[in-house]
Amino acid sequence: MKKLLLSTLVLFYAITSFSQIKGTVTNSKSNPLPFVNIFIENTYKGTTSNEDGIYELNISEPNTYTIVFQFLGYKTVKKIVTIETFPFNLDAELADEEISLNEVVVTAGENPANAIIRQAIAKRKVNLEKIQSYKADFYSRGLIRIKDAPEKLLGQEIGDLGGGLDSTRSGVIYLSETISKLEFLRPNKLKEKIIASKVSGDDKGFSFNNAIDVEFDLYSNTIELGNQIISPIANNAFGYYRYALEGVFYDDRGHLINKIKATPRRKNDPVFEGFIYIVEDQWTIYAAELDITGTQARIPAVDKVTITQNYAFSEQGNLWTKMSQNIDFKYGLFGIKGDGRFTAVYSNYSINVGLTRKDFSREIVSFADEANKKDSMFWTSLRPVPLTDEEITDYIKKDSIQIVRDSKVYKDSVDQVNNKFKIGNIIGGYTFNNTYENWSAGITSPIEAISFNTVQGWNGNVGGFYTKNFDDFKRFLSVNGSINYGFSDDRLRGTLSTTYKFNNTSRPFLTISGGIQATQFNATDPISRLENTVSTLFFEDNYMKLYDRSFAQVSFTEEIFNGFRLYSFLSYERRKALFNTTEQVFFPEGDDVYTSNNPLDESAYGIAPFETHNIVKLDVYARINFGQEYLSYPDSKFNITKDKYPTLLVGYEKGLGATIDDYNFDQVKARIYQSFNISNKGRFSYNIRAGKFFNADDISFVDFKHFNGNQTHVSQKGNYTDVFNNLGYYDLSTNDSYVELHAEHDFNGFILSRIPLLEKLNFNLVVGAHAISTPNHKPYQEYTIGVDNIGWGKWRFLRVDYVRSYQSGFVSDAVLFGLKFF
């Protein structure tokens, strides 16, 4: 209690001692006004009031200033003050703005709002390009609350979420701030250096708030917010919005401001709803208050997002610049609901300062030394938006209990409770944690891992693991093992692997593994154990084909330089053919029997698809992410791939030292893939593979190139750019050259949202094309058309496709059901 009181007094002293100009902004009824723009006239130095109407404007020199108070729906107030000593108190009362239609000249048959928006659209690009570059100070604060949090989520206890919950299990679960320096160059270069970072309850933490994530420019045709959202002044905006002129008013400089309401033409289109304020004659944005639902943004967990932007005019360059932005949101999923806000303040602009592309690199976010070590004095002197009572309380509470929560006594007591074995652990597995020493160990559930195949019959896995974390999880050592027993073949198999991560920048991983396993011929495991169990026992379709692999392997991967990651695998393997050992089926159909376990010939019972052999395998490949940008955190690097550029993989694979000489081989291979939005027309994805075998005429079928087929007509994949959904799993396998192509376009509501009645369902049309070309088979193609996002409310778990396949003519068709539960 004494520590809490002392912390409160220290924080209060810091707040009162370092404020420069401070005060409260209210309306005519003395109610506080949140997020009022407060700035020095004709400058880019400003701030906003907090939720309680309190503001602080940091000015260091005594002088005479004109302080401007600007807020949507209220008349702008200017106050001329002469300041000799600090802190200086300056309150402001704002009167309601008189918005009227009296001065609007209406032409017969013409909607005045449409005329204004046409002018804004015509000047959009000009206004966009007025600011070619800038430098600015940036402040960001993020706050997320939860309401009535459940005790458990998906069967797992979620605790008190860092001490943020009260007795009703409601409260702040995330509070963080950053102070940054920005540099921007049109069209899309933005660099941020974070000077200070603060996370409530974590004095070592670094905030993930950054300017890149909240860069929403309404002058662009689309804004990326989950989906590509159409701006109210986009070139094609009239196809998506209806407009109404609510009224006009004059700002303090005599600019006539048009308040226009924008409403969607169709309920589920990716558009905003709300108000946009346009300056007459200049046709620039004065402010915006825009809402969008999670359905429109294609973010199921979100109920609604509100973006509020305020701009200020400066005679320096005759420019309107964004001074503040608030992003408010409400969310709800799996019984968890809450809200939050991200506040951003831009100040001290230097416009068109002559930045060039040479001033930018792929590093888009970096941190100054000891950015997370700034004390309360520093924050109070530079924080442009004062903390609310709720935020002050959260900082004090979590910072005071952090010492307790980091202690060995506390962590051991929590572990003692959580480490107790429960009946549910039989199904979900058991984990023992030593939080203080940062290690955990446990076993996986044998019940979850039970499956059936015709080689092993019923079989189950029991897995064990140990993980030790170092340096706040930047390095770790993990050991994993599993034992598998097949009841029909009466065979015990097992694997063991250990992985060490060396750092969190280039992320090198060294893995040593070995063991014995029954594994699929296609190493990508095209059919899951669950799918195979159902198709085998219920429909007598044993699609999974297995062989026995005994192996010892070492692998290493590391990012050599930004965007270039190298992977290498070296293994010694003993391969042996396996055969069916059971005929069990739930619903026998006449004389039908299982196919053989030979993928080359389903009727070749007792005939091995290859001879037992040993071989050394070397596989080396590189992944190149073109245009990759990254965030530099202390001792960490987080890569950001760009939709604009593809990812390329090139590799070499060699089989050598085989006990059967014909089984040695070489293969070169490449893959290129990309996924990107086409404006508001949806998202296009492609995936192309090609390769060539050498000295491989008689190699083992294990080492063939196998294409991912699907004969179950059920899929759990999110998209189908890596699978042929009407092709047998080994029908076109090859040991020669090959080309594999996949393309898919998800219209993301662009088409179906325009069809009456269907537009209410919020479904997405998806089309695709897939092809394989090899010398030893005729070219194969698949074409698909389907509907995605099927379900109700936020539960959109089903996709249905119609598939047609061709190979020198029509082959067959099928209906595919795609399930997406998470």
Side-chain angles (χ1 to χ4, degrees):
M1 183 64 186
K2 290 181 179 179
K3 289 183 178 180
L4 184 62
L5 179 60
L6 180 61
S7 298
T8 304
L9 292 173
V10 168
L11 189 57
F12 177 77
Y13 173 78
I15 290 172
T16 56
S17 299
F18 283 87
S19 297
Q20 305 300 328
I21 298 179
K22 64 174 186 174
T24 303
V25 187
T26 60
N27 62 15
S28 57
K29 296 181 180 179
S30 298
N31 295 321
L33 293 177
F35 312 118
V36 177
N37 266 9
I38 302 110
F39 57 94
I40 302 172
E41 187 176 38
N42 287 325
T43 74
Y44 298 113
K45 188 172 187 64
T47 185
T48 67
S49 60
N50 66 15
E51 292 181 48
D52 300 324
I54 301 170
Y55 77 93
E56 295 174 11
L57 183 57
N58 294 316
I59 299 174
S60 58
E61 297 182 6
N63 208 331
T64 299
Y65 299 95
T66 300
I67 310 299
V68 181
F69 298 82
Q70 177 184 304
F71 190 51
L72 290 177
Y74 293 85
K75 291 183 177 180
T76 298
V77 170
K78 292 183 180 180
K79 293 199 173 190
I80 300 175
V81 295
T82 299
I83 301 175
E84 297 179 352
T85 60
F86 296 104
F88 186 90
N89 194 79
L90 182 64
D91 296 333
E93 180 181 298
L94 304 189
D96 290 347
E97 185 65 74
E98 296 177 359
I99 299 177
S100 71
L101 288 168
N102 293 338
E103 299 191 36
V104 178
V105 178
V106 179
T107 304
E110 174 73 18
N111 179 347
N114 289 352
I116 294 166
I117 292 296
R118 285 195 186 94
Q119 293 282 9
I121 291 173
K123 294 279 287 185
R124 180 191 64 81
K125 190 173 182 181
V126 172
N127 287 324
L128 177 70
E129 295 179 350
K130 281 183 179 179
I131 299 178
Q132 287 296 311
S133 65
Y134 68 74
K135 295 182 180 181
D137 293 339
F138 177 76
Y139 169 79
S140 174
R141 182 188 301 166
L143 174 74
I144 302 177
R145 304 181 187 91
I146 195 170
K147 184 176 177 60
D148 302 327
E151 297 280 351
K152 295 182 179 181
L153 178 62
L154 299 177
Q156 300 296 316
E157 294 186 3
I158 62 176
D160 64 355
L161 299 176
L165 304 186
D166 59 21
S167 59
T168 67
R169 297 192 59 77
S170 301
V172 176
I173 58 173
Y174 176 79
L175 173 60
S176 179
E177 301 174 90
T178 59
I179 294 176
S180 310
K181 298 286 186 182
L182 301 184
E183 293 184 7
F184 172 81
L185 177 67
R186 197 162 299 287
N188 56 8
K189 292 292 184 181
L190 181 60
K191 179 171 65 175
E192 177 177 11
K193 183 165 187 177
I194 297 177
I195 307 301
S197 174
K198 185 176 178 66
V199 180
S200 181
D202 186 359
D203 59 6
K204 297 179 182 179
F206 289 92
S207 172
F208 278 86
N209 304 352
N210 59 63
I212 287 90
D213 288 340
V214 296
E215 180 60 19
F216 301 136
D217 192 342
L218 295 175
Y219 286 110
S220 298
N221 280 317
T222 60
I223 297 96
E224 186 170 352
L225 181 62
N227 202 352
Q228 288 291 318
I229 313 303
I230 309 297
S231 168
I233 57 170
N235 290 342
N236 58 343
F238 278 101
Y240 292 88
Y241 290 96
R242 293 186 176 92
Y243 301 96
L245 180 60
E246 295 283 302
V248 300
F249 62 91
Y250 288 93
D251 73 355
D252 60 295
R253 295 174 178 270
H255 296 119
L256 180 65
I257 311 298
N258 299 282
K259 181 181 181 181
I260 295 175
K261 184 173 184 178
T263 56
R265 287 184 175 274
R266 292 165 294 274
K267 179 181 178 181
N268 294 322
D269 272 358
V271 296
F272 296 105
E273 181 172 7
F275 299 98
I276 185 166
Y277 298 76
I278 303 295
V279 182
E280 186 81 10
D281 295 330
Q282 299 182 38
W283 314 116
T284 57
I285 299 174
Y286 173 84
E289 299 173 296
L290 300 169
D291 298 334
I292 188 168
T293 66
T295 298
Q296 292 169 309
R298 298 297 192 269
I299 309 176
V302 171
D303 294 324
K304 185 174 75 169
V305 177
T306 299
I307 297 177
T308 305
Q309 294 183 345
N310 288 287
Y311 293 71
F313 180 79
S314 174
E315 292 178 351
Q316 298 177 14
N318 195 35
L319 293 171
W320 292 85
T321 54
K322 182 167 61 179
M323 299 298 290
S324 66
Q325 175 179 272
N326 288 308
I327 302 172
D328 294 86
F329 59 91
K330 294 182 179 180
Y331 66 90
L333 193 66
F334 296 127
I336 294 177
K337 57 184 177 180
D339 59 31
R341 169 179 290 123
F342 283 85
T343 299
V345 177
Y346 303 79
S347 61
N348 297 325
Y349 279 101
S350 297
I351 306 292
N352 295 330
V353 288
L355 294 172
T356 68
R357 297 183 67 87
K358 294 181 179 179
D359 296 309
F360 297 83
S361 66
R362 296 299 182 187
E363 182 184 61
I364 56 178
V365 173
S366 62
F367 282 77
D369 293 339
E370 298 190 339
N372 65 334
K373 304 297 182 184
K374 308 300 183 185
D375 59 22
S376 59
M377 302 291 188
F378 171 90
W379 279 99
T380 305
S381 65
L382 289 180
R383 178 187 288 123
V385 183
L387 297 173
T388 63
D389 290 342
E390 178 187 38
E391 292 162 341
I392 292 173
T393 300
D394 190 73
Y395 271 132
I396 294 173
K397 177 183 176 182
K398 290 181 181 175
D399 291 348
S400 63
I401 66 176
Q402 182 185 355
I403 298 174
V404 175
R405 287 175 175 267
D406 284 343
S407 69
K408 186 178 187 301
V409 173
Y410 177 83
K411 290 183 176 181
D412 286 349
S413 66
V414 173
D415 286 342
Q416 187 176 12
V417 174
N418 293 335
N419 288 338
K420 289 181 179 179
F421 187 84
K422 305 176 184 65
I423 297 298
N425 296 134
I426 298 175
I427 298 176
Y430 173 75
T431 300
F432 181 93
N433 289 297
N434 188 319
T435 308
Y436 186 77
E437 296 183 2
N438 280 324
W439 65 266
S440 62
I443 58 173
T444 61
S445 169
I447 294 179
E448 282 188 338
I450 292 175
S451 64
F452 180 88
N453 62 68
T454 55
V455 171
Q456 298 174 286
W458 288 103
N459 67 96
N461 287 323
V462 177
F465 61 88
Y466 168 83
T467 302
K468 170 68 175 178
N469 292 298
F470 308 93
D471 302 334
D472 295 325
F473 307 98
K474 295 180 177 67
R475 298 183 295 126
F476 69 76
L477 171 70
S478 70
V479 180
N480 295 273
S482 68
I483 296 174
N484 174 273
Y485 179 72
F487 287 88
S488 181
D489 68 346
D490 192 23
R491 178 76 187 276
L492 185 69
R493 298 176 174 89
T495 60
L496 182 67
S497 68
T498 181
T499 298
Y500 184 73
K501 178 185 177 184
F502 292 85
N503 64 58
N504 209 39
T505 49
S506 62
R507 286 183 166 82
F509 291 88
L510 174 65
T511 300
I512 300 173
S513 59
I516 304 172
Q517 58 186 176
T519 189
Q520 296 187 51
F521 282 83
N522 185 341
T524 63
D525 294 340
I527 182 169
S528 71
R529 291 182 303 176
L530 175 60
E531 290 171 334
N532 184 72
T533 299
V534 173
S535 66
T536 302
L537 290 173
F538 286 85
F539 304 104
E540 211 166 353
D541 293 323
N542 56 319
Y543 295 125
M544 182 181 285
K545 307 301 178 184
L546 304 169
Y547 73 95
D548 192 79
R549 177 179 181 249
S550 303
F551 70 99
Q553 177 175 287
V554 59
S555 65
F556 182 78
T557 175
E558 182 176 16
E559 186 178 55
I560 308 303
F561 53 85
N562 182 54
F564 185 95
R565 188 168 191 88
L566 187 67
Y567 299 81
S568 59
F569 303 84
L570 181 65
S571 64
Y572 179 76
E573 303 179 14
R574 178 181 182 274
R575 286 96 164 259
K576 182 180 179 181
L578 296 173
F579 305 95
N580 292 345
T581 63
T582 179
E583 296 180 358
Q584 181 182 354
V585 64
F586 286 166
F587 305 104
E589 295 185 5
D591 296 330
D592 288 351
V593 294
Y594 287 125
T595 60
S596 75
N597 190 53
N598 188 332
L600 292 170
D601 184 354
E602 64 179 22
S603 63
Y605 299 97
I607 300 175
F610 62 90
E611 297 182 44
T612 300
H613 65 281
N614 299 342
I615 191 170
V616 176
K617 285 283 295 292
L618 173 67
D619 193 359
V620 180
Y621 66 92
R623 186 189 68 198
I624 306 168
N625 287 327
F626 295 102
Q628 175 179 284
E629 297 177 334
Y630 61 93
L631 317 178
S632 290
Y633 281 65
D635 300 321
S636 296
K637 177 174 180 279
F638 299 94
N639 296 326
I640 308 295
T641 56
K642 304 287 287 184
D643 287 355
K644 182 179 179 181
Y645 303 99
T647 295
L648 174 67
L649 285 83
V650 291
Y652 171 71
E653 184 179 8
K654 184 174 182 63
L656 66 156
T659 52
I660 300 176
D661 289 341
D662 287 342
Y663 284 4
N664 295 323
F665 70 95
D666 299 88
Q667 182 192 181
V668 293
K669 51 190 176 181
R671 176 190 177 196
I672 187 169
Y673 62 93
Q674 188 180 7
S675 183
F676 54 90
N677 292 310
I678 302 178
S679 184
N680 65 310
K681 310 300 187 298
R683 191 165 184 84
F684 179 76
S685 305
Y686 68 86
N687 180 18
I688 302 172
R689 283 189 174 92
K692 170 67 177 175
F693 285 86
F694 299 93
N695 309 312
D697 291 343
D698 298 306
I699 65 172
S700 166
F701 188 71
V702 172
D703 297 309
F704 275 45
K705 168 60 183 176
H706 305 294
F707 304 98
N708 293 334
N710 182 9
Q711 294 173 265
T712 65
H713 304 312
V714 175
S715 176
Q716 299 179 58
K717 297 178 180 292
N719 65 56
Y720 302 146
T721 55
D722 199 28
V723 62
F724 296 89
N725 279 310
N726 204 27
L727 177 69
Y729 296 99
Y730 300 100
D731 287 355
L732 299 180
S733 298
T734 184
N735 59 343
D736 203 333
S737 59
Y738 59 89
V739 177
E740 174 185 359
L741 302 98
H742 302 271
E744 185 173 276
H745 187 76
D746 184 342
F747 286 93
N748 225 350
F750 177 71
I751 291 180
L752 298 186
S753 66
R754 287 165 165 74
I755 301 175
L757 298 181
L758 282 180
E759 58 94 11
K760 298 181 182 296
L761 299 176
N762 198 28
F763 294 166
N764 298 338
L765 179 67
V766 186
V767 297
H770 314 262
I772 298 174
S773 177
T774 65
N776 48 340
H777 297 98
K778 295 177 180 179
Y780 176 85
Q781 305 95 32
E782 279 185 6
Y783 302 96
T784 64
I785 183 168
V787 177
D788 196 6
N789 210 42
I790 301 173
W792 58 89
K794 295 183 178 182
W795 305 100
R796 302 284 174 163
F797 57 86
L798 180 62
R799 170 177 170 176
V800 179
D801 288 77
Y802 174 67
V803 187
R804 289 180 67 88
S805 55
Y806 295 84
Q807 195 171 21
S808 294
F810 175 73
V811 177
S812 66
D813 58 357
V815 176
L816 177 73
F817 296 90
L819 303 175
K820 301 177 294 180
F821 293 106
F822 300 103

